[in-house]
Structure formats: C-alpha cells, structure tokens
Amino acid sequence: MTILVTGANGFIGSHIVRSLLKRDHQVRVFVRPDANMRNLDGLNVEIAHGDLLKPGSVIDAAIGCKAVIHTAGVINTHPFDGWHTWEINFVGATNVFTAAALAKAEKVIYTASIFALGVSPDGRPADENVADNLGHLRFAYIASRRAAQAKAERLLAGGLPLVFIYPTYCVGPGVHDFGASPQRQILAFLRGRLPFYASGGMNLVDVRDAADAHVLALERGEVGSKYLVGGEDITLRDLFKRLSKAADRPMIMLPVPRAAMMAGGWVMQWFSRKPPMDANTARLMRYRWYYDSGQAKRDLGHAPRPLDETLRDTVAWLRENHYIR
C-alpha cells in the first residue's frame, strides 16, 4: 500500500522519501503545483499536487493511502511572516489530520516540534515527559506548533492513529532552502558572515537519521507514543569550533552577551527577510535545547551517527553544490 508524505520536497521530507523507498514502500508525495522538486530528482514516486490550505486536495491525495507522514510545515521565526506560519503549521496540519481520518489511514506519523514539548529548565537533557514551559514565548512559530500539538492530541483521543516524532535541530546534506534552521547559521558561518555566537546550546541530529526514525515509527511505533529523535548535545561555541575543523577554516567569532544578541537580531530582521538571525531566534539561542532520545533508541532502533561525520558530510555537500568554496 501507498504512503503519503506531505512536505516531501523539503529537508526532512525528501530524506523520508528516500528512506521509504529503500525499504520498498510505495510513496505518494503531496506538493504544491509550483513546488521546487530539486530534492526529489530521480526518485520513483507518485506525485499528488495540491495545497495544504485546500482541504479537498489533501483528501484526494490521502485516499487509497495506508498511512500518512505529515512533515510539511514552516520553520520561520521572522515576525513579519506570522500569519503564513500559523496557516501552514496549524490550519495545514488540521487539514492533513482530517484527510487521514477520512481516508481511514492505519497510522499517521506527525513531525511535531520540540517547541510544543518544552525545554529542561536546568540545562539537563529533557525527555518526552518534560513539562510544557514555553508558553511565554509568544511568537507565531511556537504558537502555531503548540496549537497543532493540542489539536493532534484531541484527535488522538478521538481515535486518530497518531504517532508523534520530535526531531531536534536537523543538520546534514541535501537542502536548497535554508529557512530558519541551524543550516542557515552553518552556511552564514562558513561564508564568514556570522562573527558572533550566543551562550546557549542545542541537540543536533543528522537529517538522514531523523528521516529514518520516521519510517521506523511507521513500521514499529506505537499509536499514541511520543518519540524524541535527537543526536548530540552541544554548545554553540563547540558547534562552530567543530564545524571550523570540518571545513578546515579558522573560527573567527566572538561570544556576545544576551542583550547584544537580541539587539543584533532586531537590527538584522529589519534589513533582511532571511537574516542569519532574527530577534526571536536570538531569544531561543539563550537556552540549552538538550534532549534525551532514549525511548526512540529503545523502541524504534534510532541510531544517530556521530556529529562530526554529519558536519563533514554537510560541508562536502555545500561545496559540491557551490554554496561555499
């Protein structure tokens, strides 16, 4: 039977498609008619054109599919794009869940967000049971993700066979739209356009391993379960230090106090729609987004590769595709 993947031409989505094909699943990809299909070049997939905000097209795409993997979404912290972010992340997700229910999908894998879970207040790695403590971060991206999470949990209680996957910060090869992700900061650093770093930290996972975890959840995951899918916890300083080693170029960066980082974010967002960092990103970078993937490792067989391997592959891919020299 066919598996429907939304957001299939995106960073995580395209790697999910590859992972499904390696396991001999039939794949139907749901993309906009004008979507950039570069990430799916040469792959044997069925294409369903439509729009997440047009429920009829989502239903048509889901009919006849055994399962749905919903990974489409907007990662955007820029304050000027709030409404679009809300529409895609909440309204679009609601339309996909409804379509999956009408199509009687046997399982729905939802690429949820760590920002709908919470963060450890003391910097220690959090797991799936972390207390929701991010309600004070009142900007569109987090609000949309939290609302979609609440909607999904209500539908789960009503019988929708949902499995939640929470990738941490994904990095790796194979992305042509850098969005508001660590990839944007990595690219800016490698181009010499990010001369400072904050005091925070994050959990980084190879996008290929995060994609494999989605497929493992499809095959082995328990309905109603939540799986954090991460890799290595690392401070931002150590990330750029190891990235400089992977790229064989010097690390010319300075630590910046929290207030200065916020001010820099405010300035950059007024001059660019896709700055290396905006004010909301600066707010997030003060935390240590560290996570424990023990449950995904035990239940799904999630096995993240070493971060240094991921960084080397990322640098090589960026060079091969002429993003850096």
Side-chain angles (χ1 to χ4, degrees), residues 5 45 58 182:
V5 181
V45 296
V58 188

Side-chain angles (χ1 to χ4, degrees), residues 187-206:
L187 182 62
F189 168 76
L190 292 173
R191 288 177 169 175
R193 298 176 185 171
L194 192 66
F196 48 79
Y197 61 87
S199 59
M202 60 181 65
N203 184 288
L204 293 176
V205 64
D206 192 295

Side-chain angles (χ1 to χ4, degrees), residues 79-96:
F80 301 156
D81 298 317
W83 179 244
H84 175 67
T85 300
W86 174 268
E87 280 193 313
I88 297 299
N89 290 344
F90 176 70
V91 179
T94 299
N95 290 339
V96 172

Side-chain angles (χ1 to χ4, degrees), residues 167-198:
T168 58
Y169 290 90
C170 289
V171 293
V175 59
H176 295 283
D177 182 2
F178 293 89
S181 71
Q183 294 283 104
R184 186 191 297 181
Q185 280 80 47
I186 285 173
L187 182 62
F189 168 76
L190 292 173
R191 288 177 169 175
R193 298 176 185 171
L194 192 66
F196 48 79
Y197 61 87

Side-chain angles (χ1 to χ4, degrees), residues 82-163:
W83 179 244
H84 175 67
T85 300
W86 174 268
E87 280 193 313
I88 297 299
N89 290 344
F90 176 70
V91 179
T94 299
N95 290 339
V96 172
F97 298 149
T98 301
L102 292 173
K104 301 187 186 310
E106 295 177 14
K107 193 175 280 189
V108 181
I109 309 301
Y110 173 40
T111 308
S113 172
I114 55 174
F115 299 112
L117 274 182
V119 63
S120 175
D122 58 9
R124 289 184 295 180
D127 63 15
E128 293 83 357
N129 300 311
V130 63
D132 178 4
N133 54 11
L134 296 176
H136 63 288
L137 294 174
R138 300 180 182 276
F139 52 91
Y141 175 68
I142 290 183
S144 67
R145 285 301 206 169
R146 287 165 58 85
Q149 172 82 25
K151 181 73 171 184
E153 290 183 351
R154 290 195 296 271
L155 292 172
L156 171 67
L160 188 66
L162 273 158
V163 180

